[in-house]
C-alpha cells in the first residue's frame, strides 16, 4: 500500500500470498512456493512450441494436487488454432487438446527449420577443411542472388541440393575431400534422411544475407496492427420506414431519414481509400442510421468513421424510370427488420421496388469483375427478394435485371 519494494528474502508478504508474474525469461528454472490452491493464467504467443509451453506450465509445481492452469489465447491465434485443428464451425469452442495440437505443429515446424540449418552448417564445415575452400565466392549478379524459385520441399531434398552445390564448388576449385570429410558428409545425409524426409520447409535457394534482406521486406509488407479507440454504439433515430414502399426514389423519403448520396456521405464522414472511389457514378444512397454507427464514450459524434463501418447487408433497389437509372438505398439492420415486417404484410406485389438481403444471396449467386458477369445458379427469389416472395404472381425474372443493370453499370471499385 505504501509502494515499497522488497527483495524476495526480506518481503513481509509470503510467496504463497502474493501475485506472482513470470516473464518469458523466468519461465525456465524459477521456483516459487505458491499456494496449493493457486490458479495461473498462461498466455499463448505466436509459434509457441512444446518446450516453452511445458516450461511455463511447470511453474505450477502442484498441478496434480489442487493448483489450476488457464490458457489465454489471443483472437488472431485462436483462428490459427482452428485452421490447424480443422474445426468445422467458427463457434466451436477451442479446448486444451486443440491448443496442444497446434503447439505440436509449431514444434514440428521449428524442428524442421533447425534440422535444415544444422545440416547446412555441417556440410559447409565438412567441405571447407581445405584453406582454399574457406574463401567465399563473390557473386553480385541479381539473377543468381534473387532468381531462385521458392517452393515447398522436404528437408532431405533441400540438403541434397545444398550438398550438390558444395560438391560442384569443390570440383570447380579442383580440391579433393579426404576420407574423414566424406564420412562426415555421409553421416549428415543419413541423419537428415532419417529425421527430415517427412518434414516440409519452404526452400528459397537464397544465401543467408539475401534471405535476411527479403525477410525484412516481408516484415515491412505485413499489415500494421492498430488499436482503434473504444466507442459506443449510436442510437438509431425512428422514422416511417414504410414510406420506402410508396416512393419511387430514395430522395423522396422523409427528412427524418436523413438520406444522403453515398458519394457525399463518404466525403464528409470518411477518410482514406474509400473516399477516392468514384461513388458519383451510380445513384447509391444511405440512411443516416446506416452511416452513423458509433459515438464517443462521452456521447459525441465521431469525426472519422473509417474504422467503424457497418457491413453492407440490406439494400433496397428502385426500378429505372423514363428519366432515371436504377437507384439503391442502404439500410441498417434495424431498419431492414422493420421494413421486412411491412413487406410480409403487404397485400399485393411491388414491381417498382424490391428488398435484397446479402446474407442470403452470398450462398446462391456470384459477382465477378467485368460486364454481364452477374450469375444466378437457380431461382432463389422467395429466399432472397423479400418484397414479393410470398405472392403467387412473383417472378424472379422481373427483379434480376434491375439489380444486374445496377451492378454491371457501376465501376469495378464499387462492384468490389
Amino acid at each position: 500500500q505504501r509502494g515499497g519494494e522488497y527483495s524476495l528474502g526480506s518481503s513481509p508478504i509470503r510467496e504463497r500470498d502474493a501475485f506472482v508474474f513470470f516473464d518469458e525469461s523466468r519461465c525456465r528454472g524459477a521456483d516459487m512456493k505458491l499456494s496449493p490452491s493457486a490458479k495461473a493464467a498462461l498466455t499463448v504467443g505466436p509459434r509457441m512450441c512444446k518446450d516453452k509451453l511445458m516450461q511455463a506450465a511447470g511453474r505450477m509445481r502442484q498441478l496434480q494436487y489442487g493448483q489450476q492452469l488457464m490458457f489465454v489465447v489471443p483472437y488472431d491465434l485462436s483462428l490459427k488454432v482452428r485452421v490447424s485443428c480443422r474445426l468445422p464451425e467458427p463457434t466451436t469452442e477451442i479446448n486444451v487438446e486443440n491448443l496442444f495440437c497446434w503447439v505440436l505443429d509449431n514444434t514440428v515446424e521449428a524442428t524442421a527449420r533447425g534440422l535444415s540449418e544444422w545440416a547446412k552448417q555441417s556440410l559447409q564445415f565438412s567441405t571447407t577443411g581445405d584453406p582454399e575452400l574457406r574463401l567465399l565466392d563473390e557473386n553480385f549478379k541479381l539473377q543468381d542472388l534473387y532468381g531462385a524459385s521458392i517452393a515447398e520441399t522436404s528437408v532431405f531434398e533441400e540438403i541434397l541440393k545444398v550438398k550438390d552445390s558444395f560438391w560442384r564448388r569443390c570440383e570447380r576449385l579442383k580440391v579433393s575431400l579426404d576420407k574423414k570429410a566424406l564420412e562426415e558428409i555421409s553421416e549428415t545425409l543419413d541423419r537428415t534422411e532419417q529425421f527430415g524426409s517427412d518434414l516440409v520447409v519452404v526452400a528459397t535457394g537464397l544465401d543467408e544475407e539475401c534471405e535476411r534482406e527479403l525477410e525484412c521486406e516481408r516484415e515491412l509488407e505485413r499489415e500494421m496492427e492498430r488499436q482503434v479507440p473504444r466507442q459506443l454504439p449510436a442510437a438509431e433515430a425512428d422514422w416511417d420506414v414504410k414510406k420506402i414502399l410508396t416512393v419511387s426514389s430514395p430522395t423522396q423519403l422523409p427528412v427524418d431519414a436523413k438520406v444522403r448520396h453515398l458519394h457525399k456521405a463518404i466525403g464528409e464522414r470518411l477518410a482514406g481509400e474509400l473516399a477516392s472511389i468514384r461513388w458519383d457514378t451510380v445513384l447509391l444512397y444511405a440512411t443516416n442510421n446506416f452511416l452513423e454507427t458509433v459515438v464517443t464514450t462521452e456521447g459525441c459524434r465521431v469525426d472519422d468513421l473509417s474504422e467503424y463501418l457497418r457491413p453492407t447487408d440490406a439494400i433496397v433497389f428502385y426500378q429505372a424510370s423514363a428519366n432515371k437509372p436504377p437507384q439503391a438505398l442502404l439500410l441498417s439492420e434495424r431498419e431492414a427488420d422493420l421494413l421486412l415486417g411491412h413487406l410480409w404484410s403487404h397485400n399485393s406485389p411491388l414491381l417498382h421496388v424490391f428488398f435484397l438481403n446479402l446474407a442470403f444471396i452470398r450462398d446462391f449467386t456470384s459477382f465477378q469483375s467485368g460486364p454481364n458477369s452477374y450469375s444466378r445458379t437457380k431461382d432463389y427469389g422467395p429466399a432472397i427478394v423479400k418484397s414479393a416472395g410470398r405472392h403467387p404472381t412473383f417472378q424472379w425474372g422481373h427483379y434480376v435485371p434491375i439489380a444486374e443493370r445496377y451492378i454491371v453499370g457501376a465501376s469495378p471499385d464499387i462492384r468490389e
Side-chain angles (χ1 to χ4, degrees):
Q1 294 178 351
R2 296 189 298 270
E5 295 183 2
Y6 301 89
S7 63
L8 182 61
S10 61
S11 173
I13 302 177
R14 296 180 300 176
E15 301 171 41
R16 59 182 299 163
D17 300 325
F19 177 86
V20 181
F21 173 76
F22 296 95
D23 58 11
E24 186 173 353
S25 62
R26 291 177 176 83
C27 283
R28 293 177 181 268
D31 190 12
M32 304 286 285
K33 297 179 181 179
L34 305 178
S35 171
S37 60
K39 187 174 183 178
L42 195 158
T43 55
V44 178
R47 296 185 177 181
M48 176 175 277
C49 297
K50 175 189 172 185
D51 60 333
K52 185 178 292 187
L53 178 68
M54 299 305 294
Q55 287 289 341
R59 300 313 98 207
M60 306 294 288
R61 301 297 191 184
Q62 302 182 46
L63 272 178
Q64 295 180 339
Y65 304 100
Q67 292 183 345
Q68 300 180 30
L69 187 62
M70 175 180 63
F71 295 98
V72 180
V73 184
Y75 176 75
D76 56 337
L77 293 185
S78 68
L79 298 179
K80 296 182 179 180
V81 175
R82 295 181 186 279
V83 173
S84 177
C85 299
R86 297 179 177 87
L87 297 181
E89 297 293 339
T91 57
T92 305
E93 184 177 356
I94 297 176
N95 54 35
V96 177
E97 182 180 355
N98 300 141
L99 180 62
F100 283 178
C101 290
W102 174 73
V103 169
L104 289 177
D105 288 343
N106 294 339
T107 306
V108 172
E109 293 180 5
T111 303
R113 292 192 297 269
L115 180 61
S116 176
E117 290 301 320
W118 169 82
K120 290 178 183 178
Q121 294 179 15
S122 175
L123 291 175
Q124 183 177 10
F125 174 80
S126 301
T127 56
T128 55
D130 192 300
E132 294 291 334
L133 296 175
R134 293 176 186 175
L135 295 176
L136 299 179
D137 302 329
E138 286 188 345
N139 187 1
F140 299 106
K141 294 182 179 179
L142 294 179
Q143 178 65 26
D144 296 333
L145 291 176
Y146 300 98
S149 60
I150 300 176
E152 288 188 350
T153 182
S154 68
V155 174
F156 179 61
E157 292 176 350
E158 181 191 20
I159 297 305
L160 287 179
K161 295 179 181 178
V162 174
K163 187 263 297 183
D164 293 338
S165 65
F166 281 121
W167 204 268
R168 289 193 299 270
R169 186 167 181 265
C170 293
E171 292 178 350
R172 187 175 67 254
L173 296 177
K174 299 180 179 180
V175 176
S176 300
L177 300 178
D178 57 20
K179 182 179 179 181
K180 182 180 178 182
L182 294 176
E183 290 177 352
E184 292 175 350
I185 294 174
S186 177
E187 185 177 357
T188 300
L189 294 178
D190 291 341
R191 294 195 178 186
T192 307
E193 183 180 11
Q194 179 182 359
F195 299 108
S197 295
D198 57 345
L199 297 179
V200 178
V201 294
V202 178
T204 61
L206 306 177
D207 60 23
E208 188 175 353
E209 183 177 356
C210 295
E211 179 64 31
R212 286 198 301 267
E213 182 180 340
L214 291 181
E215 180 64 26
C216 293
E217 293 182 2
R218 287 193 289 266
E219 288 288 344
L220 293 175
E221 291 175 356
R222 289 174 184 168
E223 182 179 0
M224 182 178 63
E225 182 178 357
R226 292 183 298 169
Q227 187 71 28
V228 297
R230 181 178 179 271
Q231 311 291 8
L232 300 177
E236 295 192 14
D238 293 326
W239 59 282
D240 191 3
V241 179
K242 191 177 181 180
K243 293 290 185 181
I244 294 177
L245 307 179
T246 60
V247 299
S248 59
S249 171
T251 57
Q252 300 173 359
L253 291 173
V255 180
D256 297 338
K258 297 182 181 179
V259 175
R260 286 176 282 177
H261 193 284
L262 200 60
H263 175 69
K264 180 180 179 181
I266 289 179
E268 296 173 350
R269 306 294 286 117
L270 301 180
E273 298 178 357
L274 288 178
S276 62
I277 298 177
R278 291 292 307 275
W279 297 102
D280 55 348
T281 58
V282 292
L283 296 178
L284 182 58
Y285 300 85
T287 63
N288 191 68
N289 290 334
F290 176 87
L291 297 169
E292 302 294 334
T293 55
V294 295
V295 293
T296 64
T297 53
E298 294 79 19
C300 302
R301 168 174 156 165
V302 177
D303 294 331
D304 185 8
L305 294 173
S306 300
E307 300 292 344
Y308 310 97
L309 299 177
R310 185 191 304 275
T312 302
D313 188 36
I315 307 178
V316 176
F317 284 91
Y318 288 87
Q319 188 175 4
S321 60
N323 54 356
K324 279 188 178 181
Q327 303 175 68
L329 175 66
L330 303 179
L331 302 178
S332 68
E333 293 85 352
R334 180 172 177 269
E335 291 172 329
D337 290 339
L338 294 174
L339 178 62
L340 189 58
H342 294 303
L343 289 172
W344 288 125
S345 60
H346 209 272
N347 296 324
S348 59
L350 299 170
L351 300 181
H352 72 288
V353 58
F354 74 97
F355 173 47
L356 191 75
N357 191 331
L358 295 182
F360 290 91
I361 202 172
R362 287 190 193 101
D363 296 334
F364 307 125
T365 59
S366 61
F367 297 93
Q368 305 172 2
S369 60
N372 302 323
S373 56
Y374 175 89
S375 62
R376 175 170 54 89
T377 56
K378 45 184 170 177
D379 189 354
Y380 293 103
I384 302 172
V385 182
K386 305 298 181 63
S387 61
R390 68 193 297 267
H391 297 286
T393 58
F394 171 78
Q395 292 182 356
W396 169 268
H398 174 81
Y399 296 93
V400 169
I402 303 176
E404 185 174 8
R405 286 195 300 271
Y406 185 89
I407 295 170
V408 173
S411 64
D413 290 337
I414 297 179
R415 285 201 302 270
E416 183 178 355

